[in-house]
Each structure stands twice: as structure tokens, then as C-alpha cells.
Amino acid sequence: MDNRSIAQLLSETADLLEISSGDPFRIRSYRRAAEAVESTTVQISAIAGDAKKLQEIPGIGKGMASNIQDIEKTGSLPLRDELLQKYKPTMLELLKLPGMGPKSVALFWEALQVASVDELEAAIAAGRLKDLPRFGEKQIEKLRKGIEDYKKNSGRFLIDTGEEAAEKLIAYLREFPGLTTIQPAGSLRRGRETVGDLDILVTGPACAEDKVQAAVDYTAAYPPIANLIAKGQNKVSFILRSGLQVDVRLLPEASYGAALQYFTGSKMHNVSIRQRALKRGYTLSEYALAKVDDGSFVAGATEEDIYAALSLAWIPPELRENNGEIEAAEKGTLPKLIEQSDIRGDVHMHTNATDGRNTIREMAEAALARGYEYIAITDHSKNLAMTNGLDDARALEHVRRIREVDAEMEGRIRVFPGIEVDILGDGEIDLADETLAQMDVVVASVHTLFNQPREQMTERVLRAIENPYVRILGHPTGRLLLRREPFELDLPTVMRRAAELGVAMEHNAYPDRLDLSDRDLRLAKELGCKISVNTDSHHTSHMEKMRYGIRQLRRAWLTKEDVLNTLPAKQFLAALRPRP
DNA sequence: GCCGTTTTCGGCCCGACTGTTTTCAGTCG
């Protein structure tokens, strides 16, 4: 079993323990172990036979090592099975609703025998929550909205989950001789935040009509398949253990480009493209672009051929949403979209001084290895007590250490001192101005403000960015996809003021918290609001998540010029709001 | 349940915020 699945089982056990009001420290151990398994570079299944080796991983002790061995052997662990006798697996789903924690899940179960999102929805509709302690009108309304939102998104997976699943499957398919080109299409290729299912296109000599059956059989034998839905001439559909549905299509080389174009979508883009084809006497299908009158082949081997035959420049998949990209492709005015290699620095990251995993030096080395020219270390401030946030004294001491590391790196990479401060309930920043004055990068973070009316929220954020030391507004929408609704914040007003003040807007690149939607990003550009795309890395390995942020920027038509951290170090600092 | 040591057990990141409380529980990061 892969690390992620093991981590998931441990984490589920922690959730179940919490619902059963188990020992909080024991619960934390399971959570820590889950995190350790997820973030370690060691492949757990490879060393599962050796309890000693397992215990070398920090956070894994004797008991946890034995739990992991049980997981490898049986696919579960005794404690989890035991708890699942008492509670239902669907209760874990309830925890995903905003405002729902283990105590509420336990309460609903004990008082109402409600154990799933559907049952909760029915209970709310029937007014059965009214007599419950702690549940007044507002709480019930919040839950109702939360369920609505959850249902809208459920069934979809975050892009990184989709991408990982795709990469594994592609690696498997590559083992089969004669499959030369294997590529994901659909929303994964378009770089959407979430994917509903995976479309994988395959071609090569082994996909020729008389040979394809062997490749189809091989695909259908992919070990992680939980449920094979269909196996036909050139298509295999299945559901993975994770619940993700996958469609693999094996196509002859001549129609590969047509298929890629067709299955990449989006639907609206394809409708427009096909209309355009018809106007020119062509018809476009997933097999080819052909003449309407005699059906003769025009193009199909590559996407470029097809677009060119329609007098269009090739359109990057991220733009294919029928938002003017076809007109731009016709006129030759498609933007040169930002690329990952344009990014020169990542200016929001944490170290083990607070809740990060690595030292300043380790973060700097990892960033250097990625080819960055600079980073900013922005650990948490004291308000986030749970992260061991820095008070003024510790923050200043941290600045000193960051400067030391900066010197140690001898110019190979710059390491800027910074901090991620919280915006408090009154719009104040939780550290003194004298402390902030020592920082190159002050990220004022919205993420601790919750559940507030839109006006109040907006007012506090506006107040916070008036602080002259604040240079970047962090987590501007506090958006955690599939988990919570976006903050109620008057974003245009905030962006307008940020633009006036020269405060940059952060776009968090992390897949589950891509802060700004395509629309938000376009709006920022329109309003002249500067954008910095950061990973908020808590571990050296998190820096690679930058690519998801870049995809999102591309979807919003942004170019290198629209993003601050494509600038060299000095210009980057100069482009931020001037310090008092 | 882990860790570190005091080698056998005690300590383990906690403060803000909300809604429903009439003094606080639950959730969040």
C-alpha cells in the first residue's frame, strides 16, 4: 500500500477516536503518525517488515509500527475496525462540513441516529435539530448551506490527487511496448482546480486496430482498479480504490490529435470550434477533421494540425473555456502565458521555528535546487499559538538567524526575513511596528477570520492593509476547496484599495487553497493589483506545488509581467509597497 | 500513543472567535 493510503487510514482512526472522545494525546499521536507517513521520503511498504526501521521515523513508536504492519497485512488496523463497529464510516464525511467537528458528529449520532450527510440534510429539513443543545437558528442555517456547498463539490477531486493518480497509471501504461504517447486530457489538462474524472489518451503502434486488444487487456489489468466498468474496442473505464473514475482511450496515431482536442474540452470551447469547422465546410469529431461533402480526411494527427486547418493558432488548454480564446487565436493575439520557469522566488514559507518541518537553511537549499533566486521566510506570528507562533522577541531573533543563513548562502540565493502576521478581530496586526520594520516581506493573513458578516470582514481587512508595514495580503479569500465556502469578502473593494496602497495580493499555489479563482485573478489584473504566487510551504517538498498556482494563473490569461515574483530579487522588493 | 529521560512516567503547541451560553463548549488554525 502506498504511503498516502496508510496515512489516510491512520488519520481516519484519529477522526473516529475523536468522535468517541478518546484521549486527545493519543489522537494527536495518530495524526502525527499520519503526517509522518505522508511526508517521509521512505516508502513504508518497503520497510514494513522491519519494525525497527519503522520506528526510526519520528512520530512512529512501537505501537504505531505494529499498527502499520497490521495495515500492510490486512488493509486496516484493529482499533479502526473496532471503532467502525460502533460508528459508521459515513460519519467521517460529516466532519468535512464547515463547523462540524467530532463533538457535533457524536451528538447527532447519539441524539438523532444521524450518521451521514444525507441523513443530516433530512434531519434539518424535518426540523429535528431544533431541540438539540448548541444548535440555534444560525448554526442550523450554516450547516444547511454547508451541505449544499459540499454536495456541489463532492464527487470531484483536487487536481493534485488527479494528477498523482494519472502519473501512476501513465507509468504503468509505459511498461507496455508500443504505447508511445500517453497523455491526460479533460479538466486535468485544462488545469482546473478539481477534476471529476480522468481522461487518459494513449496512442502508438500498439494501438493499431489489429493489435489494440492486447493493450486494452493490459490496461484493464491495472492493479489499483476497484471496479471495472467497461472494456470495449478502444476504451477502458474503471473506478480506482480512491473512488476516482478513469477513462482510458487507445487510439490509432492518425486520430490522436483529434481525440486529444475533443477530450480536452471544455464543452463550450468544443461547441464553438465545431461551429467554426462547419462554417468552413468541415466536420470535427474525436476521430478527425473531415470535409462535410465527401468525408475526406483533413487533419487529425496533432492538435496543431486541426487548429491550423481552421486558421487558428494552437490554443493552450488552460484557455479553452470559450472566453475569447478563439477570437484571439484567429487574430494572433493569444497572450504568452506565464510559465513555471518564469518564477524566480517564493516568498511565503515556514520553518521549524513555528509549524514548518525544515530549517531555514534546508528551505534555502531546496529553493536553490529549484532554481530560485530568492525566498522569504515568513513564519507565523504569536496569534497562531498552536503553531508556536513568534512573539516580537522571537520574531526579531528569527530575523537575525535568517540574515545569517542569507550570508551563509553567499549570494547563490537570497533569503529575505519576513513574517506571516494575523489580522486580528479588530483589524489590528498582532506584532509591533518596530518588529515589522525589520522584515522585508510582511504577509498579513486573513485566514484566522471566520464566519463574519461580509461588511465586517471587509472592514477588518481594509483596516489591516492600512498598516504601512504590510506588503502582501495573504490567503486573501481563505478559500479551502472542498472544505469550506470562500470567505464573504468584498474582494473588488479590497483589491482596489490594495492597488492604491501597493499591497500585493497573494495567490496561494497550494492545490487545496488556490485562493483566487480565474475571475478573481482577472479582476486583480484589471484593477492594477499586483500578484505574488506563493506556496506557503511547510516542508521542502511543498515547493513543487507551485505548478498548480501557475496553472491557475494561466487559466486567468496572466503573463509573466502580471506577477511580481517573476522579477529578479532587487526589483521584486522594489515593486512591493515602499517601506515607511 | 510518542518521547525523553529523571529508565518508568509525566508531559505533550494554545488563543481567538462564534453562538449560545448566563459562564462556556466547540471549532478553527
Side-chain angles (χ1 to χ4, degrees), chain A residues 183 189 201 203 251-264 284-289 299-307 314 320:
Chain A
Q183 194 175 358
R189 182 158 182 249
L201 299 191
T203 193
L251 303 142
E253 289 173 296
S255 57
Y256 182 74
L260 186 58
Q261 198 286 325
Y262 182 87
F263 289 111
T264 297
L284 179 62
S285 73
E286 66 256 56
Y287 298 106
L289 181 72
T302 70
E303 281 189 341
E304 284 83 350
D305 292 350
I306 292 167
Y307 282 104
W314 178 81
R320 299 185 195 172

Side-chain angles (χ1 to χ4, degrees), chain A residues 262-276:
Chain A
Y262 182 87
F263 289 111
T264 297
S266 64
K267 207 174 261 174
M268 290 308 293
H269 174 85
N270 282 358
V271 167
S272 289
I273 291 288
R274 265 177 265 142
Q275 280 170 350
R276 185 182 178 89

Side-chain angles (χ1 to χ4, degrees), chain A residues 395-414:
Chain A
L396 290 172
E397 172 60 19
H398 202 41
V399 168
R400 201 185 54 74
R401 276 195 299 268
I402 294 166
R403 290 197 204 285
E404 266 173 26
V405 174
D406 184 38
E408 284 169 24
M409 299 308 286
E410 296 177 320
R412 286 176 296 144
I413 185 169
R414 292 298 318 275

Side-chain angles (χ1 to χ4, degrees), chain A residues 281-539:
Chain A
Y282 299 137
T283 168
L284 179 62
S285 73
E286 66 256 56
Y287 298 106
L289 181 72
K291 286 192 180 151
V292 172
D293 40 18
D294 59 0
S296 65
F297 179 93
V298 177
T302 70
E303 281 189 341
E304 284 83 350
D305 292 350
I306 292 167
Y307 282 104
L310 299 170
S311 313
L312 295 172
W314 178 81
I315 300 172
E318 293 92 338
L319 298 187
R320 299 185 195 172
E321 299 290 347
N322 199 31
N323 276 330
E325 73 278 10
I326 296 172
E327 293 77 359
E330 181 172 45
K331 287 188 226 142
T333 55
L334 283 169
K336 185 176 176 340
L337 299 177
I338 185 170
E339 287 176 33
Q340 179 144 308
S341 56
D342 293 328
I343 298 294
R344 301 203 190 199
D346 188 341
V347 296
H348 182 162
M349 53 181 66
H350 300 268
T351 70
N352 56 9
T354 60
D355 62 348
R357 298 290 158 73
N358 296 100
T359 61
I360 303 167
R361 178 68 186 249
E362 284 163 354
M363 295 306 269
E365 295 284 359
L368 182 62
R370 289 182 56 82
Y372 287 156
E373 294 169 24
Y374 54 95
I375 56 171
I377 301 293
T378 54
D379 272 303
H380 291 289
S381 58
K382 64 184 177 189
N383 183 56
L384 225 51
M386 153 242 194
T387 65
N388 190 23
L390 308 172
D391 59 18
D392 288 281
R394 286 181 61 218
L396 290 172
E397 172 60 19
H398 202 41
V399 168
R400 201 185 54 74
R401 276 195 299 268
I402 294 166
R403 290 197 204 285
E404 266 173 26
V405 174
D406 184 38
E408 284 169 24
M409 299 308 286
E410 296 177 320
R412 286 176 296 144
I413 185 169
R414 292 298 318 275
V415 185
F416 300 134
I419 189 124
E420 178 181 11
V421 288
D422 283 1
I423 300 171
L424 298 179
D426 53 5
E428 290 294 312
I429 301 299
D430 66 330
L431 290 183
D433 284 356
E434 302 82 69
T435 307
L436 302 182
Q438 298 303 312
M439 312 286 181
D440 282 328
V441 176
V442 174
V443 180
S445 181
V446 178
H447 69 180
T448 50
L449 302 174
F450 277 110
N451 300 324
Q452 294 171 26
R454 185 183 170 93
E455 296 76 27
Q456 200 177 335
M457 195 65 201
T458 306
E459 192 186 306
R460 289 173 179 183
V461 172
L462 285 173
R463 176 123 183 255
I465 59 176
E466 292 300 327
N467 181 309
Y469 293 97
V470 169
R471 307 185 90 183
I472 296 179
L473 183 64
H475 300 285
T477 64
R479 187 157 171 254
L480 297 176
L481 264 168
L482 307 185
R483 176 86 176 93
R484 181 180 301 112
E485 289 178 87
F487 279 0
E488 287 286 333
L489 182 68
D490 182 354
L491 210 48
T493 302
V494 170
M495 283 183 177
R496 233 172 253 126
R497 187 63 187 142
E500 283 167 15
L501 294 168
V503 171
M505 190 72 50
E506 171 174 87
H507 179 54
N508 197 306
Y510 225 77
D512 66 350
R513 51 188 65 178
L514 290 163
D515 269 299
L516 301 167
S517 65
D518 311 352
R519 213 179 46 216
D520 297 337
L521 285 162
R522 276 201 298 273
L523 179 70
K525 182 176 174 173
E526 254 176 62
L527 297 173
C529 191
K530 300 165 183 172
I531 290 166
S532 174
V533 55
N534 307 318
T535 56
D536 190 8
S537 286
H538 286 66
H539 187 271

Side-chain angles (χ1 to χ4, degrees), chain A residues 225-274:
Chain A
I225 291 178
N227 180 16
L228 188 65
I229 300 171
K231 189 175 119 180
Q233 268 288 303
N234 57 7
K235 176 179 156 179
V236 184
S237 291
F238 49 84
I239 294 178
L240 295 172
R241 282 198 297 258
S242 59
L244 186 60
Q245 179 169 338
V246 184
D247 296 325
V248 180
R249 291 183 170 81
L250 303 102
L251 303 142
E253 289 173 296
S255 57
Y256 182 74
L260 186 58
Q261 198 286 325
Y262 182 87
F263 289 111
T264 297
S266 64
K267 207 174 261 174
M268 290 308 293
H269 174 85
N270 282 358
V271 167
S272 289
I273 291 288
R274 265 177 265 142

Side-chain angles (χ1 to χ4, degrees), chain A residues 98 140-150 485 488:
Chain A
I140 293 174
E141 179 56 20
K142 204 166 93 185
L143 275 179
R144 208 192 50 72
K145 275 184 77 178
I147 291 171
E148 204 179 283
D149 193 58
Y150 176 81
E485 289 178 87
E488 287 286 333

